[in-house]
Amino acid sequence: MSVTYQGTQTIVEGAPLLTSRTEAHLLWLAGGFVLVNFAALTLIRPENWLSHLLCVLIWVLSAVVSHRVLRLTLPGHDVLLLPVVLFLSGWGLAAIERLAPRFGDRQALWLALSVMVMLAVASFPRVLYWLRNYRYVWLVLGLGLLISTILLGRNPTGQIGAPQLWLGFGGLYFQPSEALKVILVAFLASYLGEQYPAMRTAQPDGQRLALSPRIYGPILLMWGLSVVVLVWQRDLGTAILFFMVFLILLYVASGNTLILLSGALLITAAAFVAYRLFSVVQLRIDIWLNPWPEAEGRAFQLVQSLQAFASGGIFGQGIGQGAPYYIPVVHSDFIFAAIAEEWGLLGCIVVVICIALLTMRGLRIALLQQGRPFRTLLAVGLSSLIGIQSLMIMGGVLRVFPLTGVTLPFVSYGGSSLLMSFIIVGILLRLSVEAQQPSI
């Protein structure tokens, strides 16, 4: 595959021509969808028209500004990333306004902030240099924030016994583990990219240094410390996500299939140990195996989620016409179930296609980084974060997997998650134009 960049155009041999005009057309389509949903929501709840108008204006302003800034500062960027993430974010904004109106304005403000940070990251020419060469500084900073939640952590819900995973000040809360996702991927990509020649070079006896402690000792230490802290905080869903992305990056860097097989065994063993040690894990596995005997008790949330999927049918009840509010915390962990009930199977398929498209475009960006191990691994890791996290939560609310407590990127309520998801997109946008630049 050959790639040619001409101004704001990306020409891929054997593929359709994608230009900034394509991005604009897709943003118009996304804007139409968002506008129709908020108009329908206003007809149902006319008393909230001002809040709905604010959300629409913020979304439109975010779309217009981001499109113009990227066209000027990043000619040749991947023109599919921005429309897809803004489409999902606008859809999530409408769903949150429908399910938990008091959180809608807050999510809209987080969206505006996230878009600004995404543009800053994408437009900053040395962002990849900083991520690669200051990996230990970023990692220490991320671990420091994570450890500080053990001492100063709070829970916005105020529930007694709930995990204290947030740092709060003045009514604003941030979840450090969300930032650690990006930091840890950048650290792994930087370290493995540096060790890539040794990992891929055959030794005189025909063996590779794939399992050398000299190579893997430091990275296992840093990654293990991160996971231990997360387990200590009972943020087990994020710990599982880290582990799976870690395995993927190790496999891509080394090409050793034994890593994947060993990882599968370790995940099985860890699940068994966690089931014995943590009551929250035991609860989630028990209700995953058989939720029906406790449909009005411990499994109430999951059972209501399954009923939402059943009542949605193919075309859904229509926005504001279903009853997804019976699901506790539906605007966060279970927003995919609300989409299933009010937008139906077709809505769920569209969400899955969008997430798959984001992941595939990220992997395509990785493929274009020929001869640049750090950039390749960074794109693979960030794309895997979005894809695996989405798969975990969508499978959880459908009872395909046990619930993990992670959010659906760009759609679920949560400022920390939205901000870091847009930072991931900003880095991918930067990577999409760096394929034509000299290696760093």
Side-chain angles (χ1 to χ4, degrees):
M1 177 184 295
S2 63
V3 182
T4 304
Y5 296 89
Q6 297 179 357
T8 59
Q9 297 183 348
T10 304
I11 303 175
V12 182
E13 195 174 283
L17 180 67
L18 299 176
T19 68
S20 61
R21 185 171 298 178
T22 305
E23 184 178 76
H25 291 164
L26 291 175
L27 286 173
W28 274 105
L29 289 175
F33 178 83
V34 173
L35 184 61
V36 168
N37 277 279
F38 272 102
L41 202 55
T42 303
L43 292 176
I44 297 170
R45 292 177 178 169
E47 68 276 8
N48 293 338
W49 70 270
L50 186 59
S51 178
H52 299 164
L53 179 61
L54 175 64
C55 291
V56 171
L57 290 177
I58 289 178
W59 189 93
V60 170
L61 185 62
S62 299
V64 171
V65 171
S66 55
H67 171 65
R68 292 185 176 274
V69 169
L70 290 177
R71 188 176 63 177
L72 293 175
T73 61
L74 285 181
H77 68 275
D78 191 310
V79 297
L80 295 183
L81 291 177
L82 181 65
V84 172
V85 298
L86 283 180
F87 172 72
L88 289 174
S89 302
W91 195 346
L93 199 58
I96 293 167
E97 270 289 327
R98 153 60 178 136
L99 301 169
R102 66 191 185 95
F103 293 112
D105 294 346
R106 193 178 305 178
Q107 185 77 352
L109 295 177
W110 273 110
L111 175 61
L113 174 63
S114 300
V115 169
M116 288 190 293
V117 174
M118 176 198 70
L119 294 175
V121 170
S123 303
F124 184 55
R126 293 178 65 82
V127 62
L128 300 180
Y129 175 85
W130 280 24
L131 288 175
R132 178 178 181 179
N133 291 276
Y134 296 98
R135 58 175 179 260
Y136 289 106
V137 175
W138 291 111
L139 186 64
V140 170
L141 177 62
L143 288 174
L145 286 173
L146 197 61
I147 294 173
S148 66
T149 59
I150 297 175
L151 304 175
L152 306 173
R154 302 173 62 183
N155 190 298
T157 64
Q159 295 179 355
I160 299 176
Q164 309 294 309
L165 304 178
W166 288 263
L167 292 176
F169 179 78
L172 295 176
Y173 294 90
F174 181 77
Q175 193 170 355
S177 62
E178 293 290 341
L180 190 62
K181 293 176 184 176
V182 180
I183 291 173
L184 194 59
V185 167
F187 171 80
L188 292 172
S190 177
Y191 186 87
L192 292 174
E194 189 176 87
Q195 301 295 331
Y196 184 83
M199 297 169 67
R200 288 283 181 167
T201 302
Q203 301 304 301
D205 58 359
Q207 301 295 320
R208 291 179 178 174
L209 290 175
L211 300 178
S212 171
R214 179 177 65 83
I215 293 179
Y216 287 102
I219 196 173
L220 284 171
L221 177 63
M222 295 299 180
W223 170 81
L225 181 60
S226 304
V227 172
V228 166
V229 173
L230 288 169
V231 171
W232 191 358
Q233 293 180 303
R234 292 191 294 162
D235 193 0
L236 302 176
T238 304
I240 295 171
L241 179 62
F242 279 7
F243 185 73
M244 297 180 71
V245 173
F246 177 66
L247 287 179
I248 290 174
L249 288 178
L250 282 181
Y251 173 71
V252 172
S254 67
N256 193 333
T257 309
L258 182 61
I259 289 175
L260 295 179
L261 298 177
S262 302
L265 293 175
L266 284 174
I267 288 177
T268 304
F272 178 78
V273 173
Y275 182 82
R276 295 291 184 180
L277 294 180
F278 300 102
S279 59
V280 63
V281 176
Q282 186 175 9
L283 168 64
R284 288 175 177 175
I285 291 181
D286 286 346
I287 63 175
W288 169 60
L289 293 174
N290 189 12
W292 310 112
E294 299 187 71
E296 297 183 359
R298 299 189 306 169
F300 179 80
Q301 193 176 31
L302 181 58
V303 170
Q304 292 298 316
S305 172
L306 297 176
Q307 290 181 349
F309 277 94
S311 63
I314 296 178
F315 300 103
Q317 301 285 337
I319 185 169
Q321 304 300 318
Y325 43 79
Y326 284 116
I327 308 172
V329 203
V330 64
H331 60 286
S332 181
D333 296 357
F334 282 79
I335 200 166
F336 190 60
I339 289 175
E341 181 166 356
E342 301 206 331
W343 284 271
L345 177 63
L346 293 180
C348 292
I349 292 175
V350 171
V351 172
V352 172
I353 289 174
C354 289
I355 296 296
L357 183 60
L358 278 178
T359 306
M360 291 172 61
R361 298 303 289 186
L363 295 177
R364 174 185 175 275
I365 291 170
L367 287 174
L368 296 177
Q369 309 295 324
Q370 297 180 7
R372 300 176 174 92
F374 165 67
R375 296 177 183 178
T376 298
L377 293 169
L378 183 62
V380 168
L382 295 177
S383 305
S384 299
L385 269 180
I386 293 176
I388 294 174
Q389 181 172 330
S390 302
L391 186 63
M392 287 170 62
I393 188 59
M394 289 189 292
V397 299
L398 270 168
R399 199 173 152 246
V400 177
F401 315 121
L403 288 168
T404 53
V406 297
T407 56
L408 183 59
F410 305 105
V411 182
S412 295
Y413 172 76
S416 306
S417 176
L418 189 66
L419 176 62
M420 300 316 300
S421 296
F422 269 93
I423 288 177
I424 289 175
V425 174
I427 297 173
L428 290 176
L429 286 168
R430 187 77 225 177
L431 284 168
S432 69
V433 301
E434 289 285 338
Q436 62 209 5
Q437 303 296 331
S439 179
I440 62 173

